[in-house]
Amino acid sequence: MTDEKKKPEIEEADFITLEFDDGVEVECEIMGVFDYGNKEYIALIPDDDTDDVYIYGYREVGDDEFELVDIEDDEEFEKVVAEFDKIMEA
């Protein structure tokens, strides 16, 4: 019998790089994907020393591939942010 110590498994965070229209790139940690109103959304934490959270629509487009969808409707965006806030309070 060996006397090996098991190391705890630490889940590595997933990151993506967003590139904005002005060419600025921001590395973001994927906080999670959540459902609201029969759609999926994704929350991203930018690595820019702010407390911001970016929320986009989320659509899977293949194996391990997805695309971010801008939420262009202000009313939809407000409802999705309210749902995200509820999830974070739970």
Side-chain angles (χ1 to χ4, degrees):
M1 213 183 219
T2 61
D3 200 17
E4 289 182 39
K5 291 183 180 179
K6 281 192 167 184
K7 291 183 181 177
E9 289 186 33
I10 299 174
E11 208 174 295
E12 286 190 35
D14 290 324
F15 288 86
I16 63 170
T17 301
L18 297 181
E19 183 175 344
F20 296 100
D21 291 338
D22 60 3
V24 173
E25 291 185 355
V26 177
E27 187 82 8
C28 295
E29 179 181 347
I30 298 173
M31 185 176 200
V33 176
F34 62 98
D35 294 321
Y36 178 74
N38 298 323
K39 291 183 182 179
E40 289 186 303
Y41 298 90
I42 189 168
L44 306 172
I45 303 170
D47 186 22
D48 63 359
D49 298 323
T50 66
D51 291 336
D52 294 344
V53 175
Y54 298 156
I55 297 179
Y56 289 92
Y58 173 88
R59 183 178 14 225
E60 290 186 11
V61 293
D63 293 337
D64 295 329
E65 290 185 38
F66 62 90
E67 66 181 11
L68 302 180
V69 180
D70 286 332
I71 305 170
E72 304 212 4
D73 180 272
D74 290 339
E75 186 177 334
E76 176 187 359
F77 184 76
E78 288 174 19
K79 289 178 181 178
V80 171
V81 168
E83 178 68 13
F84 173 77
D85 288 343
K86 275 195 246 177
I87 292 168
M88 294 309 297
E89 289 174 5

